[in-house]
Amino acid sequence: MPLNKEQIAQRIAKELRDGYYVNLGIGIPTLVANYIPEGVNVVLQSENGLLGMGPFPFEGEEDPDLINAGKQTVTTLPGSAIFDSAMSFGMIRAGRVDLTVLGAMEVADNGDIANWKIPGKMVKGMGGAMDLVAAAKNIIVAMQHTNPKGESKLLPKCTLPLTGVGCIKKVVSDLGVFDITPGGFVCIEYAPGVTIDEIKAKTAGRLTIADDVKEMAV
Amino acid sequence: MNKVVANADEAIKDINSGATLMLGGFGLCGIPENCIAALVRKGVNNLTCISNNAGVDGFGIGLMLEQKQVKKMISSYVGENAEFERQLLSGELEVELIPQGTLATRCMAAGYGMPAVYLLAGYGTEVADGKEVREFNGKNYLMEYAFDSDFAIVKAWKGDTTGNLVFKETARNFNPMMAMAGKITIAEVEHLVQPGEIDPDHVHVPGIYVNKIFQGANYEKRIEQRTVRKRS
């Protein structure tokens, strides 16, 4: 069975290490915060200008002056810090954020990513995505392996306008975990019940299967 | 020195049609509600607005869009506004989308007196079209110009009569850099206090950058995405 969104988030959470500063994008990436392993302390960065983002407030305690980059009401934690948006992107550019997790419409086997614009449709904007992908040291993409028509979103070359070039290191899809190397996608884990043949059939970009490929522990 | 004006209408009286404005805020958080209302009352149009977002229908910059006062928006994300979409698709409104960090940093550059900066964001994408590319330490950067804005309109939590500003929580967002970047900077504050009431160590934007300041009124502070958790 392909992974559901929660399971994709759960798998990505295993990449977290104690002491990491992490920026989580909107959608599946946000769910990663629910699966931070025990004993691992991470600090969540919200690019509007908050380090140490806490959980949603209790009902009745929402503060309109305290939101995250998705414009949701949030809270601070002991040790939180607030700063302006220039400093926020400054710390991202300077490589201080250890891990960025974001969604994508397409990823290419050279690490290019497209996630902000579909020609012919209303373009809402890139927000902070271009800054994050250009600068973050380590970027994991959380995505569905195929589009609703069943076509691969892991491609030899992105067809949509790019968000960043050669920047993605790892993809966790509903079918498996893929490192991006100079040789293209390398499948290092497959979802329980998903076959290598299915992964091969649904991956349009260059793909190799790691010698020590294993079933994902979910 | 007294930078205090009576209200928003007086603060924006020198803003005329065709001006370029920076407007602070992220989403609806930390937006200059009083000045936006005054700009709607004054009815100036053909404005170029530099703001991370474009408000929502019926609030924030959305109010100015409804009156067709905006000629061009320079933003990073504009997704929350049906009237915006209608004007964009009909060609009434021009939009320049730029990465959020680039937007923030181009404001910062103006406030720091730097004509341009080199930034990674957007290299290899359509954002790079027509921009100078320069390599530093094996990476390619785009040259991005400092913004040139006639006015900056910001919202602070507290300010004193000399223009020193303090922001609250994430309502800080773009407000400090924009306050530093306008040729004329107008600050509306929730609490206007006397000099000495703000600890000099706690000033976020020193008053040298602020030309006009006033005590705002009736802040609505609308929440865009109300998210809560249950008490266990």
Side-chain angles (χ1 to χ4, degrees):
Chain A
M1 282 287 285
L3 303 181
N4 62 32
K5 289 177 180 181
E6 296 284 342
Q7 290 169 317
I8 294 174
Q10 219 172 335
R11 174 59 189 82
I12 291 171
K14 290 182 182 168
E15 303 289 322
L16 300 173
R17 299 289 174 268
D18 195 40
Y20 264 18
Y21 292 94
V22 181
N23 182 292
L24 301 175
I26 295 164
I28 299 174
T30 304
L31 301 173
V32 173
N34 300 334
Y35 298 102
I36 298 168
E38 207 165 316
V40 172
N41 283 304
V42 302
V43 178
L44 299 179
Q45 202 253 15
S46 188
E47 65 266 25
N48 52 323
L50 170 61
L51 265 172
M53 178 168 57
F56 295 143
F58 289 120
E59 203 166 348
E61 293 178 5
E62 311 92 296
D63 178 350
D65 289 329
L66 187 54
I67 63 170
N68 65 15
K71 287 138 193 162
Q72 298 171 310
T73 44
V74 293
T75 54
T76 53
L77 297 168
S80 288
I82 285 167
F83 34 87
D84 65 55
S85 301
M87 183 180 282
S88 184
F89 285 95
M91 65 184 67
I92 290 165
R93 264 185 231 120
R96 300 287 177 159
V97 174
D98 298 288
L99 176 65
T100 290
V101 183
L102 76 175
M105 300 171 187
E106 295 177 344
V107 173
D109 63 23
N110 65 347
D112 290 357
I113 176 171
N115 74 350
W116 77 283
K117 181 175 184 178
I118 301 174
K121 288 202 176 169
M122 163 75 186
V123 181
K124 293 186 170 187
M126 65 291 278
M130 283 193 182
D131 310 270
L132 281 159
V133 300
K137 276 187 292 192
N138 189 11
I139 305 170
I140 299 178
V141 165
M143 68 192 294
Q144 303 297 325
H145 208 93
T146 56
N147 65 23
K149 288 189 222 159
E151 296 160 343
S152 182
K153 292 162 70 171
L154 280 68
L155 301 172
K157 193 172 189 302
C158 291
T159 64
L160 296 169
L162 293 177
T163 307
V165 292
C167 49
I168 306 303
K169 306 283 199 302
K170 194 185 282 277
V171 173
V172 178
S173 79
D174 52 331
L175 301 186
V177 182
F178 305 84
D179 283 335
I180 296 178
T181 68
F185 297 110
V186 177
C187 178
I188 58 169
E189 293 178 25
Y190 52 89
V194 170
T195 65
I196 296 295
D197 283 346
E198 182 181 356
I199 288 172
K200 283 181 176 169
K202 290 181 173 172
T203 305
R206 288 174 298 154
L207 172 72
T208 52
I209 308 299
D211 292 339
D212 57 348
V213 67
K214 59 180 195 236
E215 184 176 284
M216 191 187 304
V218 180
Chain B
M1 182 193 320
N2 191 351
K3 298 176 176 181
V4 178
V5 295
N7 53 40
D9 296 291
E10 195 183 329
I12 60 118
K13 72 176 169 42
D14 297 330
I15 299 180
N16 293 315
S17 294
T20 297
L21 314 179
M22 288 177 168
L23 292 134
F26 178 86
L28 302 179
C29 181
I31 60 172
E33 293 182 21
N34 283 224
C35 283
I36 289 171
L39 287 165
V40 171
R41 279 194 293 275
K42 190 172 185 204
V44 287
N45 55 31
N46 272 316
L47 300 172
T48 296
C49 293
I50 302 167
S51 176
N52 190 56
N53 311 93
V56 298
D57 289 308
F59 201 59
I61 294 175
L63 295 168
M64 294 163 65
L65 288 162
E66 278 167 25
Q67 300 303 316
K68 302 193 170 55
Q69 294 176 275
V70 183
K71 178 185 69 175
K72 180 177 182 181
M73 278 303 311
I74 300 175
S75 302
S76 85
Y77 192 83
V78 292
E80 323 293 349
N81 195 327
E83 175 61 16
F84 182 97
E85 185 168 347
R86 192 197 65 71
Q87 290 184 22
L88 180 63
L89 296 175
S90 72
E92 294 164 63
L93 178 66
E94 193 185 335
V95 177
E96 183 180 345
L97 293 169
I98 59 181
Q100 193 176 329
T102 299
L103 182 74
T105 308
R106 289 177 65 188
C107 295
M108 192 196 81
Y112 279 72
M114 302 184 292
V117 288
Y118 287 95
L119 301 176
L120 279 168
Y123 172 75
T125 76
E126 63 184 53
V127 164
D129 290 350
K131 289 178 183 161
E132 180 189 318
V133 175
R134 189 151 166 194
E135 189 186 313
F136 297 94
N137 303 319
K139 281 187 177 172
N140 289 305
Y141 293 76
L142 304 180
M143 187 176 78
E144 300 278 5
Y145 290 104
F147 280 122
D148 183 10
S149 185
D150 301 320
F151 296 89
I153 304 174
V154 303
K155 151 81 197 312
W157 172 61
K158 193 190 267 190
D160 70 23
T161 56
T162 72
N164 291 317
L165 302 179
V166 180
F167 302 90
K168 181 162 168 277
E169 300 171 325
T170 58
R172 193 182 316 187
N173 57 61
F174 285 82
N175 282 300
M177 298 88 69
M178 288 186 172
M180 294 163 65
K183 286 200 190 79
I184 301 285
T185 291
I186 298 163
E188 58 175 81
V189 300
E190 285 180 60
H191 305 282
L192 184 63
V193 300
Q194 292 303 310
E197 291 186 51
I198 298 173
D199 184 330
D201 276 333
H202 295 170
V203 171
H204 292 140
V205 171
I208 191 169
Y209 286 107
V210 176
N211 302 93
K212 294 181 183 185
I213 189 166
F214 69 95
Q215 164 98 47
N218 303 321
Y219 282 102
E220 187 177 337
K221 295 196 184 183
R222 207 179 280 188
I223 292 175
E224 214 165 327
Q225 305 280 343
R226 187 179 299 274
T227 46
V228 295
R229 70 187 143 133
K230 288 260 178 286
R231 284 173 204 277
S232 51

